[in-house]
Amino acid sequence: MNRTDRLYAIVEDLRAISPRCRSARELALRFEVSSRTIERDISALQQAGVPIYAEVGRRGGYALDKSMSLPPLNFTPAEAVAVAIALSRTEQQPFADEARSALRKLVAAMPGPEGDRARQLAARVQILTDDKPESRYTGSIGRVIEEALLKGVVLRIHYGDAQGVLTTREVEPGAFVGGRSGWWYLVAWCRLRDAVRVFRLDRIVEAVLTEDPVPGRPLEAFDAGVPDMIARTPVLD
């Protein structure tokens, strides 16, 4: 595990047990590094503004401010497993890393016995997979587009069309679209063409964030006719 991943994992571990604390020795054993390394990591996180504080005493250690953790959730084990099943297909879809993080937070915020029951129930559910990927989501390119959508900035892409001709374009990201065939598309305003264009993710050779903010365009402006498109918005309530 590299340092960036370890720093993230330390925060998630402390978030999961908040308001309880974890000693440097326990964290060192958990992440297979020295206690001194953990102390340096905690110091770096504190300097970055993460609200971690030290509790002194024989049972002391490091704890995350309770405002950064979820209160106990009244999810049933069956509800938690249902969410896990729904998220099991997100490996090659937008915001897959965030989906896994959300599931970890959900289970960690469940009362201890309920969380244990959810894990036992999940062990009794198996999902068959095949050799063909269900989704042709290009992870590295997709993550750059995810960040552009979150930050609301223009992307500079190198794109190859169906004939393999490469062009460099600045585009204003509008929406992710998943098709029946498994392909994922970026629907964006193309500044080169001065119009909405649909870009298949596997044909984007490179995507780079710019600092140019995206001007406000209504979502309807990005409606486009892709033959095998499935238009469905995730339901959040």
Side-chain angles (χ1 to χ4, degrees):
M1 180 182 291
N2 62 44
R3 187 170 189 245
T4 300
D5 290 341
R6 187 174 66 249
L7 291 174
Y8 174 82
I10 289 172
V11 174
E12 288 304 302
D13 185 71
L14 294 178
R15 191 197 309 276
I17 66 168
S18 180
R20 292 171 292 149
C21 62
R22 186 94 71 189
S23 70
R25 183 174 180 277
E26 289 172 327
L27 288 168
L29 290 172
R30 196 175 189 85
F31 297 106
E32 299 180 342
V33 295
S34 68
S35 295
R36 186 177 293 274
T37 295
I38 291 296
E39 289 167 0
R40 285 197 295 264
D41 288 347
I42 294 293
S43 176
L45 289 167
Q46 290 171 328
Q47 290 175 29
V50 180
I52 297 175
Y53 61 91
E55 288 192 354
V56 298
R58 189 168 60 86
R59 295 189 178 182
Y62 297 106
L64 188 70
D65 189 298
K66 63 180 181 180
S67 65
M68 294 288 291
S69 62
L70 290 170
L73 298 179
N74 293 323
F75 270 67
T76 67
E79 288 173 334
V81 172
V83 172
I85 293 170
L87 294 181
S88 67
R89 300 291 187 182
T90 63
E91 186 65 32
Q92 292 183 315
Q93 294 185 18
F95 304 104
D97 292 342
E98 287 74 11
R100 288 190 294 271
S101 175
L103 182 59
R104 286 195 296 268
K105 291 177 185 178
L106 184 156
V107 176
M110 294 175 68
E114 296 296 280
D116 292 339
R117 287 180 59 202
R119 294 182 184 90
Q120 293 168 7
L121 181 59
R124 296 182 177 275
V125 178
Q126 298 185 6
I127 300 170
L128 296 178
T129 60
D130 53 35
D131 294 333
K132 295 181 180 179
E134 180 179 284
S135 169
R136 297 175 176 90
Y137 183 75
T138 308
S140 57
I141 296 295
R143 279 187 285 276
V144 177
I145 298 172
E146 290 167 14
E147 190 172 356
L149 284 168
L150 286 167
K151 292 182 175 179
V153 296
V154 172
L155 274 172
R156 184 175 298 112
I157 64 172
H158 300 296
Y159 186 74
D161 62 18
Q163 286 71 45
V165 178
L166 281 173
T167 55
T168 300
R169 310 166 183 234
E170 287 194 348
V171 301
E172 301 169 13
F176 269 123
V177 176
R180 294 188 194 89
S181 60
W183 298 112
W184 278 87
Y185 304 86
L186 168 65
V187 184
W189 183 271
C190 177
R191 292 184 169 180
L192 179 66
R193 306 301 185 204
D194 197 28
V196 170
R197 289 291 184 268
V198 179
F199 304 98
R200 216 170 76 178
L201 259 63
D202 67 307
R203 292 180 180 163
I204 299 177
V205 179
E206 185 181 13
V208 179
L209 295 172
T210 72
E211 296 183 358
D212 189 1
V214 171
R217 296 184 189 274
L219 191 58
E220 294 78 15
F222 295 97
D223 288 346
V226 177
D228 63 350
M229 184 180 292
I230 298 174
R232 188 177 67 183
T233 299
V235 178
L236 295 183
D237 54 21

